[in-house]
Amino acid sequence: ASVAAVDAHIEHVLDWADGPARFEIESPSVAEAEIEYESRDLGMEAFETIASYSPDAAVSLRRELEGAGMRLITERVRIPYEIFFDLLPPDHLAFFESLRPFHRAERVICVHAGVELEGRALDSRDLEVLIWGPDGFPDSYCGQDAVVYGHWDNSVEDEKGWPQPCVKGNRTFGVDTISKGVLTALRFPDRKVLQSSRFMCGEVPGG
């Protein structure tokens, strides 16, 4: 069986679906607002997903967000999210909302970016860890379960320049090879590597 997990791009799309209140922090100081503003980066992680539906919608929303600037954090600034959501088929949004933050099978966890370094019990509420990964992951992970993850763009190229999963002795398996033009998956329990043909940016695999 294959499992789709929520990632940073989809997280921002779902944030936008909930409206501008998701961008607020309570009574922020200027320093807090600047930190929050920089960490959000105006939600730019969502624009690649937006543009895949409509480049014009991505341009319009980017212009609105950049115009709002730090007021996005310090004030309740309304951004016209409907520019995108009016174009998004309902079944697509339903699919995004159905994505799991992680999947656990026998002795293996599949997640976007990582888990707590000590491998403590997973909690779907730990989205910051699951989607962005904790500091020190994967090198300092010491849990008992194998972890298959993406996000980090840490593939290892073989002697022919072909990207391979980043496999470490602590049972972590990084499969983020997309920046090299290859989609990678791992099958468990035999750990068979499954990969696409190489494609260039802007192409559709198998298209």
Side-chain angles (χ1 to χ4, degrees):
S2 60
V3 178
V6 66
D7 68 3
H9 295 262
I10 301 305
E11 181 202 22
H12 279 280
V13 169
L14 296 177
D15 276 352
W16 285 14
D18 286 340
R22 293 295 294 273
F23 287 96
E24 293 184 294
I25 55 177
E26 184 176 355
S27 301
S29 67
V30 173
E32 288 173 332
E34 287 178 348
I35 291 170
E36 182 74 0
Y37 176 75
E38 290 174 2
S39 67
R40 293 286 186 182
D41 194 25
L42 291 177
M44 295 302 181
E45 291 87 349
F47 280 114
E48 186 175 337
T49 302
I50 303 298
S52 70
Y53 285 90
S54 169
D56 290 341
V59 169
S60 296
L61 283 170
R62 185 187 295 272
R63 186 181 301 118
E64 293 282 348
L65 288 166
E66 289 176 344
M70 271 212 312
R71 292 185 302 115
L72 194 66
I73 306 300
T74 59
E75 304 174 21
R76 190 183 178 89
V77 176
R78 185 185 184 283
I79 301 298
Y81 305 103
E82 63 273 9
I83 292 174
F84 168 63
F85 287 104
D86 286 349
L87 298 171
L88 187 65
D91 56 332
H92 287 209
L93 181 58
F95 170 74
F96 290 153
E97 292 176 333
S98 74
L99 296 177
R100 311 173 191 176
F102 66 88
H103 174 73
R104 180 190 286 278
E106 186 175 356
R107 306 304 296 172
V108 61
I109 298 166
C110 301
V111 66
H112 177 65
V115 298
E116 292 287 356
L117 302 181
E118 299 79 15
R120 66 176 176 81
L122 292 175
D123 188 330
S124 295
R125 292 170 294 183
D126 293 338
L127 284 180
E128 192 74 16
V129 170
L130 300 170
I131 291 177
W132 296 102
D135 291 340
F137 189 88
D139 293 335
S140 299
Y141 172 72
C142 57
Q144 295 302 308
D145 290 310
V147 180
V148 180
Y149 65 92
H151 181 71
W152 293 102
D153 191 20
N154 59 352
S155 62
V156 179
E157 293 188 3
D158 62 21
E159 64 277 3
K160 296 181 179 179
W162 187 265
Q164 298 291 343
C166 178
V167 179
K168 295 183 177 291
N170 60 355
R171 299 174 302 284
T172 57
F173 301 82
V175 295
D176 184 4
T177 58
I178 195 62
S179 68
K180 307 298 191 303
V182 177
L183 292 172
T184 297
L186 274 175
R187 186 176 69 191
F188 278 79
D190 62 356
R191 301 185 181 182
K192 180 178 177 61
V193 178
L194 306 170
Q195 293 185 301
S196 72
S197 301
R198 176 167 268 162
F199 60 96
M200 301 304 294
C201 183
E203 294 180 348
V204 178

